[in-house]
Amino acid sequence: MSLVDYPFDNKLAGRARGANPYPNPQTERREISRTPPRVHPALSFLTSFGVPTNVLIRASAAAAHADVRPERALITTGLMREDVYYRSLARHLGLRFVEDSVALGDATRFPHAITAGVAPLADALTGEAW
């Protein structure tokens, strides 16, 4: 009995007509589209702080794979400690890194402050927002 005698779907139709289902890689070359690995723009500033490019590429790839922000992938994969990342970010932005916990001002509105990414801070001496 030949292959044609059996019922088959369209995927097998090529085999029944004599197409080679197992192409020889020596005789058949296929173009493989590969984009070179890149550092996500949100992490690129870290190169100026001496972070190796291959570390940033790994974090960028992990972020794309998990569909998360690249800085989150960088930290959660253990490629960089959280405090080192935020110290570097603060320095890059020309800001002071605050290690202690910071009290939020009374005017802080939730969830608006979270979605906006900003919140008024309380002055440590007076307790008023600034």
Side-chain angles (χ1 to χ4, degrees), residues 28 33 39 50 54 67 81 85-86 88 91 111-112 119 121 130:
E28 251 184 67
S33 174
V39 174
N54 64 336
D67 196 27
R81 288 192 344 244
Y85 171 78
Y86 285 110
S88 301
R91 189 168 173 199
H112 308 298
L121 301 179
W130 50 285

Side-chain angles (χ1 to χ4, degrees), residues 18-84:
N20 184 359
Y22 307 104
N24 184 347
Q26 300 297 332
T27 59
E28 251 184 67
R29 294 200 167 231
R30 295 182 187 179
E31 292 294 320
I32 298 174
S33 174
R34 289 192 179 148
T35 55
R38 297 181 329 168
V39 174
H40 192 281
L43 299 179
S44 61
F45 77 93
L46 291 168
T47 58
S48 63
F49 293 99
V51 179
T53 306
N54 64 336
V55 169
L56 301 177
I57 288 172
R58 286 178 55 198
S60 300
H65 179 72
D67 196 27
V68 296
R69 296 281 313 150
E71 57 275 10
R72 181 174 179 180
L74 180 70
I75 294 166
T76 58
T77 56
L79 294 171
M80 180 177 275
R81 288 192 344 244
E82 185 175 16
D83 65 316
V84 173

Side-chain angles (χ1 to χ4, degrees), residues 45 85-98:
F45 77 93
Y85 171 78
Y86 285 110
R87 283 177 193 277
S88 301
L89 180 61
R91 189 168 173 199
H92 174 71
L93 296 173
L95 301 172
R96 184 171 51 103
F97 179 76
V98 179

